[in-house]
C-alpha cells in the first residue's frame, strides 16, 4: 500500500471509480460481490455516467446512447454497494423510457451545475425517479444540481418527477423539477405510516400539472421558487403550488407564484408558513382544508390572488366541514395587498370560515384589492383580532373581549380624527373618555 495522487483512476469494469484531487491512500479495488466497495478512508463509491452529448466522456464508466438511458443510469445505481454512494451525471441530456428506481440507502444522484437534464422520452408516460417503497432500504437519498423534466407536452399521462411512498430523510437541493403530473410526490401507504424529515432547498419547481411539491411531516421547503403548478388541471381539488398533508413542517422564504392555488393545507396541523411571497394565483393564496389546527402563518406577503375572477376566492381562508376544525392558528404580521389595479379583487384578505375558532389574528396589514368591504372576517366565538392596519374586520357570532384593568375599547370617530376610550363599570354603565391622541 502506498500514497498516490488519484486524478482520474478509472476501473473499467463498468462498476465503480475512485476520483480525488487530494493525496490519499489507495488500496487494491474490490470486485463486485465482495464485502466492501469503499475506499480505505471509508468514503463511499462514486460512479460517473456520461450522456450521449457529454463533451468529455473520458471520466465516465457508463456512457448513454441518447435513448433508453434509464437502463444505463439504473445499472450505475445498482452497481453501488449496500452502503450506498454517488452517481454523478455529467452534463448533457438523458432520455428515459422507464422509471429509474432508487433501491438502496444513502444514494446521491448528482448533476453538474444544472447542466444534466434527465428527461422523459416522448410516450414514456411514467415517473422519472422512484424511491423504493421499502423505506428501510432506501432512506437518505439525495438529489443535487439536477434537472428533472417530465416532457408533459409529449407525455399526456406523465407521472411524478420524483415519487416515493413511506420514505424519509430525502434531500433535494439545487434542482429543477418541471413538466410532470406531480413535481415531488411523497405519500403515505396508510394513515399511520411515516413520511418524515424530507428537505427541499434552493430549487425551482414549475409547470407541473397538479401540484409542485407535496410536503409531509417534519419536513422543510426553503428558499425555493415554486410556480405555475396546477394550472393544467384547475378542477383537480389538489391543484396548487404546494400541497401540505403533514405535521410540524416549515415552509419559509419561498416565492410561491402563479399557480391554481398557492398553498393547500389538507388535514395538516402545527405547520409554519413564514417569510414567503405568495402571489398571483387563480384562487386562494392559502387554503386550509379539513382539520387545520395550530398553524403559524407569519410575515408573508399575499398579493394579487383570486385572479380567476372578482369575488372568487380569499387570499387566506379556512374551508372545513361539519365535525372539522380550524383552531389555535396564529396569523400575524402578514401583508395582504393588490399590486396590479387591472387584475380582479380578492373576496377577503382573511376568512376564518365555518369551523374556525380560538384563532389569533393580529398585526396584519390589509390594503386595497378586496371586493367585499371587510378585509378580515371571523366566525369563531373565541377568535381574537388585534391591531389590524386599515382596520376592516367583521365578527360573526363572536365576542370581543377587553379584560385589561382600567383600560377599554378605543374607537376612532367615524367623521373625524379623534379617538375615545369606551369603558363600562360594574353595574353596566357605559362611559367614554376623549384621548389626547389615537394609539
Amino acid at each position: 500500500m502506498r500514497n498516490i495522487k488519484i486524478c482520474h483512476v478509472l476501473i473499467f469494469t463498468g462498476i465503480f471509480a475512485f476520483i480525488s484531487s487530494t493525496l490519499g491512500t489507495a488500496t487494491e479495488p474490490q470486485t463486485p460481490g465482495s464485502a466492501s466497495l469503499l475506499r480505505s478512508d471509508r468514503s463511499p463509491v462514486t460512479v460517473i455516467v456520461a450522456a450521449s452529448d457529454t463533451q468529455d466522456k473520458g471520466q465516465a464508466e457508463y456512457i448513454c446512447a441518447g435513448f433508453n438511458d434509464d437502463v444505463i443510469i439504473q445499472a450505475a445505481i445498482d452497481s453501488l454497494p449496500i452502503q450506498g454512494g454517488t452517481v454523478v451525471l455529467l452534463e448533457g441530456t438523458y432520455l428515459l423510457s422507464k422509471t429509474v428506481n432508487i433501491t438502496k440507502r444513502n444514494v446521491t444522484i448528482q448533476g453538474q451545475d444544472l447542466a444534466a437534464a434527465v428527461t422523459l422520452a416522448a410516450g414514456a408516460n411514467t415517473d422519472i425517479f422512484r424511491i423504493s417503497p421499502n423505506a428501510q432500504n432506501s432512506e437518505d437519498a439525495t438529489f443535487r444540481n439536477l434537472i428533472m423534466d417530465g416532457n408533459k407536452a409529449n407525455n399526456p399521462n406523465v407521472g411524478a418527477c420524483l415519487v416515493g411512498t413511506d420514505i424519509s430523510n430525502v434531500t433535494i437541493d439545487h434542482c429543477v423539477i418541471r413538466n410532470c403530473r406531480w413535481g415531488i410526490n411523497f405519500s403515505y401507504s396508510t394513515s399511520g405510516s411515516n413520511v418524515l424529515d424530507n428537505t427541499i432547498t434552493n430549487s425551482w419547481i414549475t409547470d407541473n400539472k397538479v401540484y409542485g411539491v407535496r410536503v409531509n411531516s417534519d419536513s422543510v421547503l426553503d428558499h425555493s421558487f415554486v410556480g405555475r403548478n396546477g394550472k393544467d388541471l384547475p378542477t383537480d381539488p389538489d391543484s396548487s403550488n404546494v400541497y401540505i398533508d403533514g405535521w410540524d413542517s416549515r415552509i419559509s422564504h419561498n416565492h410561491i407564484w402563479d399557480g391554481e392555488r398557492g398553498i393547500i393545507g389538507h388535514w395538516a396541523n402545527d405547520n409554519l408558513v413564514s417569510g414567503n411571497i405568495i402571489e398571483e394565483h387563480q384562487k386562494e393564496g392559502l387554503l386550509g382544508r379539513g382539520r387545520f389546527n395550530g398553524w403559524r402563518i407569519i410575515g408573508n406577503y399575499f398579493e394579487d390572488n383570486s385572479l380567476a375572477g372578482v369575488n372568487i376566492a380569499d387570499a387566506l381562508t379556512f374551508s372545513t366541514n361539519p365535525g372539522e376544525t380550524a383552531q389555535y392558528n396564529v396569523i400575524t404580521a402578514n401583508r395582504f395587498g393588490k399590486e396590479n389595479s387591472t387584475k380582479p379583487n380578492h373576496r377577503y384578505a382573511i376568512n376564518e370560515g365555518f369551523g374556525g375558532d380560538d384563532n389569533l389574528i393580529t398585526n396584519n396589514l390589509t390594503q386595497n384589492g378586496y371586493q367585499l368591504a371587510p378585509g378580515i372576517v371571523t366566525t369563531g366565538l373565541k377568535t381574537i383580532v388585534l391591531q389590524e392596519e386599515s382596520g376592516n374586520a367583521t365578527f360573526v357570532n363572536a365576542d370581543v373581549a377587553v379584560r385589561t384593568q382600567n383600560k377599554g375599547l378605543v374607537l376612532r370617530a367615524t367623521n373625524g380624527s379623534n379617538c375615545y376610550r369606551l369603558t363600562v363599570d360594574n353595574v353596566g354603565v357605559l362611559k367614554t373618555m376623549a384621548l389626547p391622541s389615537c394609539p
Side-chain angles (χ1 to χ4, degrees):
M1 190 186 313
R2 59 189 179 88
N3 290 336
I4 61 173
K5 182 170 182 177
I6 306 172
C7 295
H8 296 146
V9 181
L10 303 181
I11 310 301
F12 290 100
T13 62
I15 303 298
F16 57 87
F18 300 131
I19 298 177
S20 173
S21 60
T22 59
L23 291 177
T25 300
T27 62
E28 291 299 318
Q30 304 284 333
T31 57
S34 61
S36 174
L37 284 175
L38 300 181
R39 291 174 14 169
S40 60
D41 61 3
R42 309 305 296 167
S43 60
V45 165
T46 295
V47 177
I48 299 179
V49 180
S52 61
D53 55 350
T54 297
Q55 293 298 307
D56 181 6
K57 300 180 176 69
Q59 307 175 59
E61 294 97 326
Y62 293 86
I63 299 176
C64 295
F67 58 91
N68 298 333
D69 292 341
D70 48 281
V71 175
I72 301 299
I73 297 172
Q74 189 69 62
I77 294 170
D78 292 346
S79 76
L80 297 173
I82 193 65
Q83 297 92 339
T86 298
V87 174
V88 174
L89 302 181
L90 299 179
E91 91 284 348
T93 299
Y94 299 81
L95 284 177
L96 273 57
S97 299
K98 295 182 179 179
T99 301
V100 174
N101 293 288
I102 311 297
T103 57
K104 300 174 181 178
R105 298 188 64 164
N106 301 309
V107 171
T108 295
I109 309 296
Q110 181 166 319
Q112 291 190 319
D113 299 324
L114 293 178
V118 181
T119 303
L120 286 184
N125 290 306
T126 187
D127 305 315
I128 297 178
F129 287 103
R130 173 177 289 274
I131 302 175
S132 166
N134 186 348
Q136 184 177 359
N137 293 331
S138 58
E139 291 181 336
D140 307 308
T142 298
F143 299 84
R144 183 174 287 120
N145 295 326
L146 193 66
I147 297 173
M148 305 179 205
D149 193 328
N151 188 15
K152 66 182 180 182
N154 296 298
N155 288 292
N157 297 313
V158 63
C161 289
L162 178 58
V163 64
T165 303
D166 298 344
I167 52 90
S168 299
N169 302 316
V170 176
T171 298
I172 300 147
D173 181 55
H174 283 92
C175 287
V176 174
I177 297 173
R178 66 193 182 200
N179 296 325
C180 290
R181 183 176 180 87
W182 307 276
I184 301 170
N185 184 15
F186 296 156
S187 61
Y188 308 88
S189 60
T190 64
S191 60
S193 58
N194 289 324
V195 183
L196 302 170
D197 299 315
N198 299 306
T199 301
I200 304 158
T201 55
N202 304 303
S203 293
W204 296 260
I205 305 168
T206 65
D207 299 292
N208 298 287
K209 288 186 172 184
V210 179
Y211 48 71
V213 54
R214 183 174 180 176
V215 178
N216 314 108
S217 295
D218 296 302
S219 296
V220 173
L221 173 64
D222 186 72
H223 283 93
S224 293
F225 176 82
V226 189
R228 298 191 302 268
N229 298 288
K231 298 179 76 172
D232 295 78
L233 298 171
T235 60
D236 190 300
D238 298 336
S239 289
S240 57
N241 274 316
V242 180
Y243 181 86
I244 306 173
D245 62 349
W247 295 38
D248 299 310
S249 289
R250 174 170 61 86
I251 313 299
S252 60
H253 309 110
N254 303 288
H255 189 180
I256 300 172
W257 172 73
D258 189 25
E260 186 63 18
R261 298 175 184 86
I263 298 172
I264 293 177
H266 179 74
W267 281 77
N269 296 336
D270 302 319
N271 295 293
L272 171 65
V273 177
S274 68
N276 303 284
I277 298 173
I278 304 171
E279 63 173 345
E280 298 189 6
H281 295 94
Q282 295 301 301
K283 296 175 185 172
E284 296 86 358
L286 194 158
L287 169 63
R289 199 171 65 190
R291 189 167 293 169
F292 188 90
N293 300 322
W295 284 56
R296 290 149 294 153
I297 303 168
I298 302 171
N300 302 283
Y301 180 29
F302 293 82
E303 179 184 281
D304 288 330
N305 295 291
S306 189
L307 297 183
V310 173
N311 206 20
I312 292 294
D314 309 308
L316 191 164
T317 190
F318 306 146
S319 178
T320 58
N321 295 314
E324 301 169 348
T325 58
Q327 294 179 310
Y328 317 119
N329 300 292
V330 176
I331 304 170
T332 187
N334 301 284
R335 177 185 171 189
F336 298 85
K338 179 177 179 180
E339 185 69 21
N340 192 329
S341 61
T342 65
K343 295 180 178 180
N345 291 336
H346 306 70
R347 184 168 54 183
Y348 300 114
I350 302 172
N351 186 353
E352 193 177 34
F354 179 85
D357 205 353
D358 281 305
N359 298 301
L360 175 62
I361 304 172
T362 179
N363 293 320
N364 297 288
L365 178 61
T366 56
Q367 295 179 302
N368 62 330
Y370 298 95
Q371 180 68 15
L372 303 184
I376 298 170
V377 174
T378 69
T379 57
L381 295 176
K382 292 177 281 187
T383 287
I384 298 173
V385 180
L386 297 172
Q387 299 174 350
E388 301 304 324
E389 297 296 334
S390 65
N392 292 322
T394 295
F395 302 89
V396 180
N397 297 325
D399 290 326
V400 180
V402 180
R403 298 186 178 93
T404 53
Q405 190 72 20
N406 298 322
K407 299 294 182 181
L409 181 64
V410 175
L411 302 174
R412 184 188 294 269
T414 58
N415 61 348
S417 59
N418 294 329
C419 284
Y420 299 85
R421 177 180 292 127
L422 177 65
T423 61
V424 60
D425 64 20
N426 206 39
V427 294
V429 177
L430 292 173
K431 298 179 180 179
T432 59
M433 180 177 67
L435 299 179
S437 62
C438 293

